[in-house]
Amino acid sequence: MKRFAGLMRDHIFFFLNGQKIQVRGREALGMLAPFLRRERGLTGTKIACAHGACGSCSILLGRPTQSGFNYQPINSCIFPVFACDGAHVITVEGLNGPDKVGGQDDGVLSPVQCAMVDCHGAQCGFCTPGIVITLTAFHENRVQSSAEDVKAALEGNLCRCTGYSPIIEAGMSVETADLRPLTQIYPPEPLLDGLNAGASDAVEIRVPEDELEIGQHLFVPRSPEEAICWKVAHPEAIVVSGGTEVGVAMSVKGLAPREILSLAHLEDWDEVTRENDELVLGARATWTQVAEQVGAIVPEFATLLTRWGSPQLRNAGTVAGNIIRAAPISDSLPFLLACEAELEFIGELGARRVTVADFLESGPTMRPDELLRRVLVPLPKEGQTLRLFKVSKRRAFDRSIVSAAFLLTASDGVIEDIKIAFGGVAPLALRLPQTEAFLQGKPVNSAIWREAATVAYNEISPYSDAAASREHRTRLVANLLRKFGAEL
Amino acid sequence: MPSVGRSIPHESSRDHVRGRSIFLDDITPHRNELVVDFVGSPVARGEIVALDLSAATKIPGVVGLYTFRDVPGSNLYGAIFHDEYFLAEDKVSFQGEPIVVIAAESHAALHAAKKAIHLDVRPETPIVSIAQAIEAEEFIGPPRAISRGHARDALEKCPHRLDGTLYIGGQEHFYMETQCALAIPGENGHLTFHSSTQNPTETQVMAARVLGLGMHQVVCVCKRMGGGFGGKETQATPPALMAGLVAMKTGRPARCIYSRETDGRVTGKRHPFEVRYQIGFDSDGRLLAARLEFYSNAGFSADLSTSVFDRALYHADNAYFIPDIELIGRICRTNLPSNTAFRGFGGGQGILAIESIIEDIAEFLDKDAAEIRLLNCYGAEGRNQTPYGQIIQDDTLPLLFERLADRADYKQRRQAINEFNATSQIHLRGLSLTTVKFGISFTTKFLNQANALVNVYTDGTVQVSTGGTEMGQGLNTKIRQLVADEFAIDAANVSVMPTSTEKNNNTPPTAASAGTDLNGSAAVNACRLIRERLTEFAAVRLSEDVPIPIERIVWEDGCVFDREKPEQCLDFGHLVHAAHRERISLGERGHYITPGLGPSRPFFYYTTGCALAEVEIDRFTGEMRVTRADILMDIGQSINPAIDLGQIGGGFVQGMGWATCEELKFSDEGELLTASPSTYKIPGVRDIPEDFRIEFEQDSRFPENVRSSKAVGEPPLLLGLCVWTAIKNALSYAGPRGHVAPLNLPATGEEILRCLCELEDKCP
Ligand SMILES: Cc1cc2nc3c(=O)[nH]c(=O)nc-3n(C[C@H](O)[C@H](O)[C@H](O)COP(=O)(O)OP(=O)(O)OC[C@H]3O[C@@H](n4cnc5c(N)ncnc54)[C@H](O)[C@@H]3O)c2cc1C
Ligand code: FES
Ligand code: FES
């Protein structure tokens, strides 16, 4: 094995409500929410689902930036403790400063907490800490907020009691003048200083097998070279990027990987840029980063992303995880298929490119030494129409039943070319070549989409599952074609 | 200043927002505490042929494994009938049914033990649906019926008739805090439970029964629940029994917290119903005769199914007078978890049937459904008696209906929708204004009682304890207000203490919307007894020689004084301190019973309201938005308007969740496919009405009830059903006139699209 350039730590460290802590051993490999509750006694963070599906466990993850920390809410129930390395975690107990954690009750409330009390935003109170966290992040660096903005921020927090109206009202009536930014409550310098020593070390934690649990081995590389090198030596290792998929498996499905390769510190794999006629998405870019950047480049994709998961999931989930997992409901794949995007893998032998279609065709597989490095998406050209659809049971914070992407090139009322991709109608997202071929050269009129729907009907054979029946999915494929036509 | 009528914040809100409120799993673990979980049946129906615990026993950290053989008392228990096994014996009758209880030192040991238990169950074909139960004649209890007149004959003579079947799905409670309990062994064989339960007495009774203890050896405490909604009325019991069994066997504290999936899989839900109906009406839409046959899916045991079913029948008329009416039905036994109380308690299923029928009549007669509703509302004598004989008094519903129609511009919006639907290629809109008349009282008479304990301390502060439990609904806040006003002190000087069977015995569940009515009244009764004594004492204390006449003693703003000498007042603290020195008791228990209940008066009163929803459907995807909803309710004099608004808004959204996105799907094998939060969808912030207006009548009062208030917990949930009728209304624009949309509940996007396709096929 190649020797790594950097140093190695056998533990992780991060700040928790302003206090530096070190975590080693099995604890580092578990999920953050139970760690906070059981090991640190911070029971304000609630676990209502352990699936990333309710937001009760929201905490603020502060990732260091040039100027301080960027705090974002994430679901701590599916966020591995090791992924906190080098960050600042603020829980509901810590919102009013390090001296207010635990300790005597001086009754001090932050403006967000005040608004929640005054607007009667808490009933049973179980969802409330998560909501306070979300609203705190929302109000950081914000002067004004509309009901729309508040709702968008709260999409990832379920509440069974209030019906949300009082919470939205609270979100809108926060005394912004009294707000102390988190960077003032927790001045960044001492935190950054505290994180400095060992900041560039890779982390390797080995947990020996014991009488109850298997042995585990975690590696958090600092460079792509280290990552690949370790992957070659440990081809069976589970790769964790944002952890929103792997975290659920670990939190509720009993997944306990023997070997884990965390990409948490490949920070510079997160580019979202336009290079010539291509959109480049770094593997580690979170969906929040993509959504922030892509609006100016492919607005249609940005719109779709507003319906992707929840803010908390978008703050953690990454591009690579969404593609490699290749779930039928992945919201990015139909878009990538229709645009004929390419994936760039890097491995022992260097970089390799493959189209998304070929990647899916193959299984989807990659070589054991490989990691997805980035995605290159040819941008829709002048005169092309891109439309993306997502149909889900619940409007927001739900996975797709069926998703679709259409890329149409038409001139003078005639279809020159069309690319149609669907998710949720087969085990993997796919293109509909027969329907595409049928449409080519046809005039754009409402009858043609109906006919195309019939072709599509014969081209797919969807499945039934807990989200929807086969019949419904079949109808949706036909109807989304018609809807695309009707809305042209 | 009086507290009642003011919107003071929820008493726990300042702790809630800081994460300082202690929920059950937040209680600091005891030094030697054990974690408890169980292994349940892998199949919905079958026979246990092998169970081998030997490997699991050997796992380090596993402290105990218990089966029905280890149950010290009766293994059979149940809320109304004793027809449930705490731990399965030889047969299993729903998937997940507990078989082995595991006690371990750590979660790791628990998981390892679960894997090491060898269990072999021979599967049998389960009964999953109502149709299968009817076919197999698997029923709970005898047929049930309420009738008046001769519905069958009358139906024959009606000018118009519609027959049909409506399928109503169930609903998962999805309280954010799952079922959980902590049991702590004490001296003399005592056990103390901390349980997230709406019914501490039930936990006490069942624990005593199953663990073979006297009720005097069991205490059940509930500080709060992270939501209940009916789901913790009876079904908080199993985890408490498991923790209790372990605590008893090991002598160590034991805690059992269900995971979300376990909770979803093994706990009961709202009852699915099937309603077969025949309705007769005239050309104006006046209801003349109805025969409604209800079938509920009770799951494997009775639980509260008989009461739920009765309430469905009691609400099948909703707010409408139907002269000849026959309501019958059966409770079906299936191999699902035992369905249970859920906010609305059968009322919603009863109401939905008639509301759906009215939408169909409107379509059939080409009339506006709102007109038909108003036409049929209970009215003057001759049209004011329910099928079960209760006379509807002081009915404000028709008034509310007209007011809401007016305030929300029903007519203009109907016109606008007609126009919109005639032209829009992409969307369909619908509008519906519905009513709710919800009967307040437990239909089981003895439950309509409560007791409260009030302790006044010598500094003038007060602790009050009742059998009522706090699940977010604001009961404790309201009780605090009521008690504060009785002593004319500030609500801040009143603490509502954790509910405990040690202080309040033989209490009813906090349910049936009657929590404040019952427990608040009992607390007030206790206060009045103390106040009487203190008034007499003050009359002496404030006098120079002969006592002042009692009527002259005034309690106001923390002070007690002689009306004629207000300047010479005693502050409450000083008064009680002095009274104590004179050996006057500063504590009291109050008891309250709901007055006037009888066979033809199951309900003390009705809470009524109307709601109007406007929806927009995507014709292609079936996706739906509620663009606006308006609610107008009569809840008497509100004790705390903000809390009541919260109940109304929250209840409405929960109701519309049931009606739209919340879908329970079972496999043919009886496995719940939507047990996880990634597949079961409760409404999120984006699903609520985009424009949401809630009002209640300001000048309404109901003097017979505590501070002239009315109950508010359940009725707004049923108002949420107007979203469903609005969807039905929108669909009616898709088909040819006269064709009713065969919409069932929930109206998911899939269900909506199915109806649209069916209706489109009928179009020429
Ligand atoms: C409640 C919930 C809701 C969700 N909603 C949506 C939704 O609306 N739309 C949607 O599309 N998805 C949704 N998801 C799925 C998930 O969040 C996304 O797929 C996300 O992008 C995964 O990214 P991640 O970084 O968190 O993946 P991880 O969990 O870190 O990894 C997922 C998989 O990808 C592999 N992997 C990750 N990075 C690499 C790499 N660089 N090279 C090779 N392999 C790699 C991992 O080994 C793993 O197998 C949801 C998930 C949850 C829990
Ligand atoms: S507990 Fe539900 S998202 Fe974490
Ligand atoms: S207040 Fe109970 S879940 Fe939100």
Side-chain angles (χ1 to χ4, degrees):
Chain A
M1 197 167 47
K2 258 192 262 173
R3 288 196 62 79
F4 301 141
L7 294 167
M8 201 81 93
R9 278 188 268 134
D10 66 348
H11 60 271
I12 59 146
F13 56 70
F14 60 103
F15 275 86
L16 174 59
N17 295 326
Q19 189 199 350
K20 188 174 175 183
I21 61 170
Q22 283 192 3
V23 188
R24 54 188 80 231
R26 186 100 56 197
E27 269 171 20
L29 298 175
M31 293 299 129
L32 181 58
F35 172 80
L36 292 171
R37 292 176 52 81
R38 289 187 202 143
E39 310 304 330
R40 311 298 304 187
L42 295 170
T43 54
T45 301
K46 306 297 175 205
I47 303 177
C49 77
H51 268 82
C54 77
S56 300
C57 62
S58 301
I59 54 100
L60 292 173
L61 182 72
R63 295 180 173 107
T65 62
Q66 250 112 28
S67 57
F69 285 89
N70 176 17
Y71 291 100
Q72 291 178 325
I74 55 141
N75 294 316
S76 62
C77 67
I78 56 169
F79 198 75
V81 176
F82 61 72
C84 299
D85 188 50
H88 181 205
V89 171
I90 302 179
T91 68
V92 68
E93 291 91 344
L95 288 177
N96 291 311
D99 49 330
K100 303 289 193 299
V101 183
Q104 201 195 336
D105 184 4
D106 59 1
V108 171
L109 301 185
S110 73
V112 166
Q113 290 167 328
C114 274
M116 279 291 282
V117 171
D118 293 344
C119 298
H120 309 273
Q123 288 185 17
C124 80
F126 208 81
C127 70
T128 310
I131 285 180
V132 169
I133 287 284
T134 298
L135 288 179
T136 302
F138 173 72
H139 279 289
E140 191 76 0
N141 310 322
R142 189 181 284 265
V143 229
Q144 262 190 331
S145 45
S146 68
E148 261 321 284
D149 298 336
V150 176
K151 282 188 187 180
L154 284 168
E155 278 174 2
N157 291 86
L158 298 183
C159 171
R160 191 52 151 170
C161 298
T162 61
Y164 304 99
S165 306
I167 299 173
I168 298 166
E169 206 188 311
M172 292 179 66
S173 42
V174 171
E175 274 304 337
T176 38
D178 300 345
L179 274 172
R180 283 169 65 208
L182 290 165
T183 42
Q184 198 179 318
I185 298 174
Y186 291 100
E189 296 74 24
L191 303 187
L192 291 172
D193 284 350
L195 294 171
N196 222 342
S200 54
D201 298 349
V203 175
E204 184 165 29
I205 297 180
R206 288 173 197 269
V207 184
E209 181 174 326
D210 61 27
E211 46 199 3
L212 292 171
E213 289 172 280
I214 59 164
Q216 289 185 291
H217 185 179
L218 165 78
F219 185 57
V220 192
R222 283 285 163 182
S223 67
E225 296 73 32
E226 282 177 354
I228 299 299
C229 184
W230 203 80
K231 192 95 205 290
V232 171
H234 304 270
E236 301 290 309
I238 298 275
V239 176
V240 180
S241 182
T244 59
E245 296 276 6
V246 181
V248 174
M250 286 163 72
S251 165
V252 291
K253 305 208 174 101
L255 173 73
R258 285 182 191 281
E259 293 169 322
I260 302 172
L261 176 63
S262 165
L263 308 185
H265 282 316
L266 299 186
E267 275 100 359
D268 52 2
W269 278 17
D270 69 349
E271 71 270 37
V272 180
T273 51
R274 183 184 180 142
E275 283 174 20
N276 304 321
D277 292 334
E278 283 186 333
L279 168 69
V280 180
L281 303 174
R284 279 280 307 152
T286 64
W287 288 110
T288 299
Q289 286 173 302
V290 177
E292 276 166 6
Q293 302 298 321
V294 90
I297 309 172
V298 199
E300 180 72 3
F301 189 45
T303 307
L304 181 85
L305 288 179
T306 61
R307 291 192 59 185
W308 193 105
S310 70
Q312 286 89 329
L313 288 159
R314 295 198 289 268
N315 289 337
T318 65
V319 168
N322 196 263
I323 294 167
I324 300 301
R325 173 73 177 76
I329 54 78
S330 157
D331 282 332
S332 66
L333 286 175
F335 163 64
L336 298 179
L337 276 173
C339 292
E340 302 191 317
E342 283 188 325
L343 306 178
E344 186 180 298
F345 290 98
I346 58 164
E348 226 177 345
L349 308 173
R352 161 177 84 102
R353 282 195 185 190
V354 54
T355 64
V356 172
D358 287 343
F359 169 69
L360 292 176
E361 188 86 353
S362 75
T365 50
M366 47 189 184
R367 286 199 301 267
D369 62 298
E370 280 182 331
L371 290 171
L372 180 60
R373 168 61 189 91
R374 52 187 196 149
V375 186
L376 305 111
V377 194
L379 289 167
K381 296 182 194 57
E382 255 320 281
Q384 285 189 318
T385 307
L386 173 72
R387 283 287 276 129
L388 304 174
F389 294 99
K390 167 170 180 165
V391 181
S392 51
K393 203 177 229 167
R394 180 167 64 203
R395 261 213 295 165
F397 198 8
D398 196 0
R399 304 189 193 220
S400 297
I401 292 172
V402 167
S403 55
F406 298 90
L407 184 61
L408 171 72
T409 320
S411 65
D412 303 329
V414 175
I415 299 172
E416 275 177 18
D417 181 61
I418 185 163
K419 306 209 163 51
I420 304 173
F422 273 91
V425 300
L428 293 169
L430 45 74
R431 288 262 297 268
L432 301 190
Q434 290 168 27
T435 313
E436 290 175 3
F438 167 82
L439 282 165
Q440 194 170 11
K442 296 280 182 350
V444 184
N445 59 40
S446 66
I448 206 67
W449 303 108
R450 252 173 216 284
E451 288 173 39
T454 321
V455 181
Y457 180 88
N458 293 319
E459 197 173 358
I460 51 154
S461 151
Y463 53 92
S464 287
D465 68 3
S469 70
R470 175 188 163 82
E471 291 72 36
H472 185 48
R473 289 195 157 91
T474 312
R475 277 188 195 119
L476 282 175
V477 170
N479 281 7
L480 285 175
L481 269 159
R482 290 170 53 198
K483 186 174 163 76
F484 172 66
E487 290 178 352
L488 268 180
Chain B
M1 205 191 350
S3 289
V4 168
R6 283 170 49 213
S7 290
I8 65 171
H10 191 285
E11 43 122 33
S12 294
S13 57
R14 297 180 69 87
D15 284 332
H16 284 344
V17 298
R18 292 178 300 162
R20 278 178 176 258
S21 296
I22 304 293
F23 292 84
L24 200 136
D25 197 26
D26 303 338
I27 299 173
T28 310
H30 297 74
R31 209 182 314 125
N32 56 347
E33 191 174 304
L34 296 172
V35 284
V36 178
D37 201 352
F38 67 94
V39 167
S41 170
V43 301
R45 183 177 179 177
E47 201 177 333
I48 301 173
V49 289
L51 177 61
D52 182 357
L53 304 177
S54 52
T57 318
K58 293 194 196 98
I59 291 171
V62 172
V63 175
L65 296 149
Y66 309 100
T67 68
F68 74 96
R69 291 181 216 282
D70 302 298
V71 174
S74 163
N75 189 35
L76 263 184
Y77 77 107
I80 300 179
F81 307 103
H82 294 147
D83 65 345
E84 286 184 35
Y85 292 100
F86 162 42
L87 296 175
E89 299 190 350
D90 48 350
K91 301 256 182 208
V92 287
S93 37
F94 69 100
Q95 206 209 33
E97 179 171 357
I99 299 173
V100 186
V101 174
I102 312 168
E105 304 275 2
S106 67
H107 288 96
L110 261 187
H111 294 312
K114 275 183 149 179
K115 278 198 213 131
I117 289 174
H118 172 74
L119 171 68
D120 189 5
V121 181
R122 185 182 318 120
E124 292 163 17
T125 312
I127 293 175
V128 178
S129 66
I130 289 174
Q132 289 166 342
I134 296 174
E135 163 96 29
E137 298 192 34
E138 279 287 349
F139 300 118
I140 291 171
R144 307 181 89 81
I146 293 176
S147 70
R148 170 174 61 201
H150 304 278
R152 274 171 205 267
D153 297 346
L155 277 168
E156 300 297 320
K157 299 189 195 103
C158 289
H160 306 290
R161 235 182 94 164
L162 279 176
D163 298 356
T165 305
L166 175 66
Y167 300 92
I168 306 172
Q171 184 180 21
E172 162 63 41
H173 301 85
F174 217 97
Y175 26 67
M176 291 310 248
E177 176 202 39
T178 55
Q179 306 275 10
C180 51
L182 165 64
I184 305 163
E187 297 171 20
N188 286 326
H190 284 210
L191 271 182
T192 298
F193 288 92
H194 292 266
S195 168
S196 177
T197 175
Q198 291 172 247
N199 195 351
T201 292
E202 171 103 354
T203 303
Q204 181 198 20
V205 170
M206 296 308 158
R209 180 183 168 85
V210 173
L211 303 178
L213 300 170
M215 280 170 69
H216 67 305
Q217 293 173 295
V218 181
V219 174
C220 179
V221 183
C222 176
K223 169 64 188 155
R224 64 164 56 80
M225 280 160 273
F229 315 114
K232 294 174 181 170
E233 188 172 334
T234 61
Q235 307 222 347
T237 305
L241 294 178
M242 292 184 205
L245 179 68
V246 169
M248 209 171 162
K249 293 281 175 189
T250 62
R252 296 170 62 173
R255 194 177 324 216
C256 178
I257 313 277
Y258 281 4
S259 70
R260 176 60 56 189
E261 245 129 0
T262 298
D263 198 300
R265 216 154 36 83
V266 308
T267 66
K269 313 178 188 313
R270 189 190 294 287
H271 289 68
F273 268 67
E274 181 178 322
V275 192
R276 303 173 184 175
Y277 59 87
Q278 299 158 322
I279 187 98
F281 48 96
D282 67 16
S283 300
D284 296 333
R286 196 173 279 108
L287 303 173
L288 302 175
R291 261 195 104 243
L292 274 71
E293 228 176 301
F294 289 87
Y295 293 92
S296 73
N297 188 333
F300 78 97
S301 76
D303 190 86
L304 299 170
S305 298
T306 46
S307 300
V308 168
F309 195 88
D310 288 348
R311 189 169 277 269
L313 296 193
Y314 284 135
H315 285 79
D317 58 336
N318 194 12
Y320 315 113
F321 177 72
I322 309 172
D324 289 277
I325 183 164
E326 188 182 341
L327 307 167
I328 54 172
R330 304 282 329 232
I331 300 164
C332 300
R333 189 192 297 278
T334 60
N335 295 109
L336 301 185
S338 194
N339 288 320
T340 188
F342 193 146
R343 201 175 190 180
F345 205 78
Q349 292 91 326
I351 283 175
L352 188 79
I354 191 73
E355 293 297 344
S356 170
I357 287 168
I358 289 180
E359 290 292 329
D360 290 349
I361 293 176
E363 176 67 21
F364 182 86
L365 294 175
D366 200 6
K367 281 185 179 301
D368 194 315
E371 270 170 48
I372 299 182
R373 289 196 171 93
L374 193 55
L375 180 71
N376 285 291
C377 274
Y378 280 107
E381 230 188 287
R383 288 180 61 83
N384 68 345
Q385 196 173 26
T386 66
Y388 47 91
Q390 182 151 353
I391 304 284
I392 310 283
Q393 280 161 336
D394 308 320
D395 184 19
T396 52
L397 244 189
L399 206 75
L400 293 181
F401 196 90
E402 284 176 303
R403 253 182 220 166
L404 184 60
D406 196 43
R407 278 183 208 172
D409 303 318
Y410 181 85
K411 287 224 170 74
Q412 294 87 309
R413 286 164 66 196
R414 170 62 67 202
Q415 193 52 43
I417 284 182
N418 289 340
E419 283 159 22
F420 177 87
N421 285 341
T423 51
S424 171
Q425 296 300 302
I426 316 268
H427 294 107
L428 271 175
R429 289 187 184 157
L431 187 66
S432 182
L433 173 50
T434 61
T435 65
V436 164
K437 161 185 127 292
F438 195 79
I440 305 298
S441 290
F442 288 99
T443 54
T444 306
K445 192 172 162 190
F446 84 89
L447 294 174
N448 296 290
Q449 59 173 322
N451 64 63
L453 173 69
V454 174
N455 289 335
V456 178
Y457 295 92
T458 49
D459 62 350
T461 60
V462 182
Q463 285 186 346
V464 51
S465 307
T466 74
T469 50
E470 176 62 41
M471 58 198 101
Q473 85 281 41
L475 171 69
N476 287 358
T477 311
K478 287 183 174 180
I479 289 183
R480 196 180 192 192
Q481 291 174 275
L482 288 167
V483 169
D485 276 10
E486 289 306 311
F487 297 122
I489 57 177
D490 198 296
N493 291 332
V494 179
S495 290
V496 181
M497 304 307 290
T499 314
S500 164
T501 56
E502 197 171 12
K503 290 176 288 180
N504 301 99
N505 59 340
N506 310 327
T507 54
T510 309
S513 308
T516 306
D517 288 14
L518 295 172
N519 297 290
S521 299
V524 165
N525 286 350
C527 293
R528 295 213 168 139
L529 295 170
I530 299 173
R531 179 167 152 157
E532 235 167 74
R533 291 200 288 269
L534 288 173
T535 305
E536 276 171 25
F537 175 68
V540 176
R541 188 83 185 185
L542 286 165
S543 72
E544 268 121 51
D545 36 53
V546 282
I548 301 161
I550 299 292
E551 320 76 69
R552 284 207 343 235
I553 302 294
V554 179
W555 293 65
E556 209 174 272
D557 279 342
C559 288
V560 184
F561 55 87
D562 175 359
R563 196 173 52 212
E564 290 174 6
K565 278 195 205 151
E567 65 288 350
Q568 220 190 70
C569 67
L570 285 168
D571 119 326
F572 181 67
H574 285 118
L575 175 71
V576 298
H577 187 78
H580 179 62
R581 296 238 144 197
E582 291 301 323
R583 299 188 295 169
I584 291 169
S585 163
L586 297 180
E588 200 50 82
R589 263 170 68 97
H591 186 243
Y592 172 79
I593 59 168
T594 310
L597 302 177
S600 62
R601 192 183 172 193
F603 303 118
F604 182 25
Y605 62 90
Y606 297 97
T607 292
T608 53
C610 297
L612 187 153
E614 182 169 338
V615 301
E616 184 176 286
I617 289 172
D618 184 311
R619 290 177 189 254
F620 296 99
T621 63
E623 287 174 302
M624 188 274 304
R625 300 187 301 142
V626 184
T627 47
R628 178 169 163 188
D630 296 73
I631 298 176
L632 182 61
M633 288 191 74
D634 175 358
I635 52 166
Q637 283 294 295
S638 172
I639 293 173
N640 185 322
I643 283 181
D644 288 344
L645 273 176
Q647 286 299 296
I648 297 172
F652 184 91
V653 169
Q654 208 170 57
M656 58 173 270
W658 174 36
T660 59
C661 53
E662 295 184 39
E663 188 177 23
L664 293 167
K665 274 197 189 170
F666 290 91
S667 71
D668 291 345
E669 288 72 43
E671 180 192 3
L672 178 58
L673 302 172
T674 50
S676 128
S678 45
T679 46
Y680 188 79
K681 298 296 164 188
I682 68 167
V685 70
R686 284 285 179 197
D687 300 297
I688 68 168
E690 287 160 19
D691 180 354
F692 198 9
R693 311 179 191 192
I694 306 172
E695 281 184 87
F696 33 81
E697 289 289 286
Q698 293 298 328
D699 48 359
S700 143
R701 347 176 30 86
F702 179 60
E704 286 95 307
N705 195 35
V706 60
R707 299 298 294 271
S708 293
S709 68
K710 279 187 168 189
V712 71
E714 291 164 285
L717 185 137
L718 313 196
L719 287 174
L721 294 174
C722 74
V723 170
W724 186 88
T725 47
I727 293 169
K728 194 152 161 122
N729 176 251
L731 291 172
S732 75
Y733 287 92
R737 266 288 152 211
H739 282 276
V740 302
L743 186 70
N744 295 309
L745 182 145
T748 56
E750 175 163 2
E751 175 66 6
I752 291 170
L753 203 54
R754 183 189 69 81
C755 287
L756 274 171
C757 288
E758 232 172 87
L759 287 168
E760 274 178 11
D761 285 348
K762 292 205 174 96
C763 285

